Amino acid sequence: MNLPNKLTCARIVLTGFFVAFMSMDFRWSLSCALVIFFIATMTDYLDGEIARKRNLITDFGKLMDPLADKVLMAAAFICLIPYGAIFAWVAIILISREFLITGLRLLAAAKGQVLPAEKMGKHKTTWQMITVFFFLSVLALEQMLGKNEHTQWLNFLWVWVGPVLVLITTVLTIYSGFGYLWKNRALLTEK
């Protein structure tokens, strides 16, 4: 297994640690989750860069890299629901898109084809990561500083910036999903 594929697998393992820290309740739990999420997103960047520069692109990487992204992002969105950062229906839309695209990739694989991630999908993933990073940062700061009159600016960011990021992320997720399905619609009509 080459280095980019190891980084992809590491992202899946890091997702487990991320969920564990999001589920804990101690002073630094959300800060730890934030750091782990950041490291996991860096593995996403690094595996692609290394694979392209060293010509280490493999079918495993083409399939597992986007899947690892989906696992990380689904876990993050689900973990943010109890904090009120993401509405459950938004998380369902975002995760459903990922299941549909993964299903399409599995269908393609059954027919001997590999469908790599596309630029719009990568753009969508970047915005998803920005949105999650934003909410995790606000939650971590609030956990460290406590709720008081000096942290009211965090509430302002949460109420006004957060929904804009969620809207951008949701629109890009839906748009990229429909675009990917449309481009590969022949897979759905073949017998």
Side-chain angles (χ1 to χ4, degrees):
M1 184 174 285
N2 63 32
L3 179 58
N5 291 343
K6 287 178 182 175
L7 288 171
T8 297
C9 293
R11 189 159 60 258
I12 294 171
V13 172
L14 286 168
T15 300
F17 285 104
F18 168 77
V19 171
F21 280 106
M22 286 296 290
S23 304
M24 293 179 191
D25 188 20
F26 65 93
R27 183 164 185 184
W28 302 103
S29 61
L30 295 174
S31 296
C32 291
L34 173 64
V35 169
I36 290 169
F37 183 81
F38 178 76
I39 292 169
T41 60
M42 288 298 97
T43 67
D44 182 36
Y45 170 76
L46 288 174
D47 66 13
E49 284 297 307
I50 293 168
R52 283 185 290 279
K53 284 185 180 178
R54 297 184 185 173
N55 197 26
L56 297 173
I57 297 170
T58 63
D59 286 345
F60 177 87
K62 288 178 187 176
L63 181 66
M64 291 304 294
D65 178 55
L67 186 61
D69 293 341
K70 291 170 186 3
V71 170
L72 174 64
M73 296 316 303
F77 288 127
I78 290 167
C79 287
L80 286 171
I81 291 171
Y83 293 97
I86 306 283
F87 290 117
W89 65 266
V90 171
I92 290 168
I93 288 172
L94 300 176
I95 294 168
S96 295
R97 182 263 189 213
E98 306 308 337
F99 276 118
L100 289 170
I101 299 307
T102 300
L104 185 65
R105 284 196 175 113
L106 291 173
L107 180 63
K111 297 179 179 188
Q113 300 175 37
V114 175
L115 300 180
E118 293 187 342
K119 285 188 180 182
M120 183 54 76
K122 291 181 182 203
H123 193 63
K124 172 267 312 174
T125 300
T126 300
W127 275 97
Q128 287 180 345
M129 290 176 178
I130 289 168
T131 301
V132 171
F133 189 76
F134 167 81
F135 283 117
L136 288 175
S137 298
V138 172
L139 287 168
L141 283 169
E142 187 177 82
Q143 187 181 52
M144 286 188 302
L145 302 173
K147 288 187 178 186
N148 58 52
E149 65 276 358
H150 302 297
T151 58
Q152 299 222 350
W153 57 276
L154 290 173
N155 187 51
F156 173 81
L157 291 174
W158 187 275
V159 171
W160 293 101
V161 176
V164 172
L165 291 174
V166 171
L167 178 64
I168 292 168
T169 296
T170 305
V171 169
L172 280 173
T173 299
I174 293 169
Y175 178 77
S176 67
F178 279 122
Y180 201 78
L181 286 171
W182 180 255
K183 181 179 178 183
N184 297 291
R185 65 190 178 279
L187 284 169
L188 301 172
T189 58
E190 289 177 2
K191 295 181 181 178

